[in-house]
Amino acid sequence: MMPKRITIVLAASVALAATGVGTALAIGAFAPNEKERVVARALTDTHPKNVIFLLGDGMGTQEITAARYYQGVNNPLNVDRMPLTGFDTTWSVKPAAAAPYLPDYDPDSASTGTMWATGTKTLDERISQGPSSAINVPGANLQTVLERWQRRGARVGDVSTAEITDATPAVLASHISLRGCQGPADMGSCASERKGAGGLGSIAEQEVDHKVDVLLGGGRNRFTATIPDGPDAGKTVVDSAQRQRYQYVTDAAGLAAITNKGPRPFFDRDRDRDPKPVLGLFTTGNMSLEWSGPAAATGKGNDPAPCVENQRPANEPSLADMTSKAIKLLDDNNNRGFFLQIEGASIDKQDHATNACGQIGETVAFDTAIGVALDYQKSHPDTLVVVTADHAHTSQIVGEDASGSGLPTGYSTNLTTKDGSTLSLTYGTAGYGGAGAAPVAAPPSQQHTGSVVPVWARGPGSLAVLGTNDHTDLFKTLDG
Ligand code: MG
Ligand code: ZN
């Protein structure tokens, strides 16, 4: 039996949302027979020329649903344009002297990223190294999917709204025992992995040494630190990048102006054959949030209020801007294909911080970046687009009318959605103090959760995400 045809008229859904009328329209943004055509093509078309991999850090089913509902129930997200979906388990492993390693059901971004980057389970906090007897004992370096694409002559890119040395972007182009060893000034816990000790150096140094064609995100302070040893001793990581031919930009205008040709005369015969890599570091730490809003409170929470949008300073590019530019730089005059990872990093960070509007604003911005990738895929059907989260997180959509003993047990925020209704989000994985105890005054960092995460795909190779798989299976899918 053919699946039911699902269509939606965008203009009508916007009108419905504006008037608060709620008829039951199905989500999804497919043209007639589009799903069938996409699935039929995926059955025979299995090898992508390009792969764009997008992940929302901490963006489990509750987080994507909260963003969807906030924007209006009849207003489909870009991710709804991806007809092939599945689930991935995300468990990591605990230290042991040798295999078998016990599962750890509540993983972090380092171990989960290492799963798709290398196809291997490892310890939390570990970056593309295998497990070992203890967290401070380095494991074996594992080849990454980015290194494999590079070896085949493809171009590669790594984009994040976090510091570009944060765990998720780090897994592609560095190997280190602890995620905290981000820059040359942060190597105290990774002393044996310093270049002076015969190691590969900090994450920032390794990312530049990998000559990743496009590196865009925050984290400038890691790169302006001085390298203590090795061939670039006494220089900053930015100096080292420029020695290795990187072009360096620090704001949205600089990014908009740059090409992979670099400042070379047009008659330079190497202009196209030999693109110059781009390092864009737009903030000293993590990039600024898109939205703000009411603080979470224990018990019933605040009186319902909408989020405040457009909070990102204009000199910082949006994730969609970075995505669009990265695709242009990687695609331009390139017949060898490319691999690009895009991370919406602060969904997780604002989930930790019980900041509902911060979290939803980052999810919406991430979905806008998904739209950029899907628009490219439409005109480049040899491109595989995969979307997922690294691990699940804490936020839950709960009843707005709870009272007395039925009140949520954590920190809650009540938001007025674009449909004009109340969306209550609660954060209950840390800090209330237990039954009968007084809640602690300030919300502590909420915890990740261990649920499976959704995976969406569109393009050649997308059938691999169907059903329930493990994050380590993504390694093969992303390898093309
Ligand atoms: Mg991350
Ligand atoms: Zn986290």
Side-chain angles (χ1 to χ4, degrees), residues 38 62-63 65 85 93 107 143 164 211 226 228 231 285 381 387 458:
V38 168
Q62 294 272 345
E63 285 73 22
T65 307
T85 64
V93 295
Q143 188 184 43
I164 198 64
K211 300 186 174 60
T226 302
V387 177
R458 184 165 180 146

Side-chain angles (χ1 to χ4, degrees), residues 245-249 258-263 276-280:
R245 300 177 67 251
Y246 269 93
Q247 308 178 81
Y248 177 49
V249 293
I258 211 152
T259 72
N260 64 21
K261 309 284 190 292
K276 292 184 92 172
V278 174
L279 174 64

Side-chain angles (χ1 to χ4, degrees), residues 24-63:
L25 288 182
I27 60 162
F30 298 103
N33 293 323
E34 186 181 358
K35 276 190 185 178
E36 290 85 343
R37 275 187 281 120
V38 168
V39 172
R41 182 162 188 166
L43 284 171
T44 53
D45 200 0
T46 54
H47 286 291
K49 176 187 175 195
N50 312 306
V51 171
I52 305 175
F53 176 56
L54 302 105
L55 73 304
D57 198 313
M59 191 191 70
T61 51
Q62 294 272 345
E63 285 73 22

Side-chain angles (χ1 to χ4, degrees), residues 348 352 391 393 448:
D348 165 90
H352 281 295
H391 54 71
H393 218 308
H448 301 168

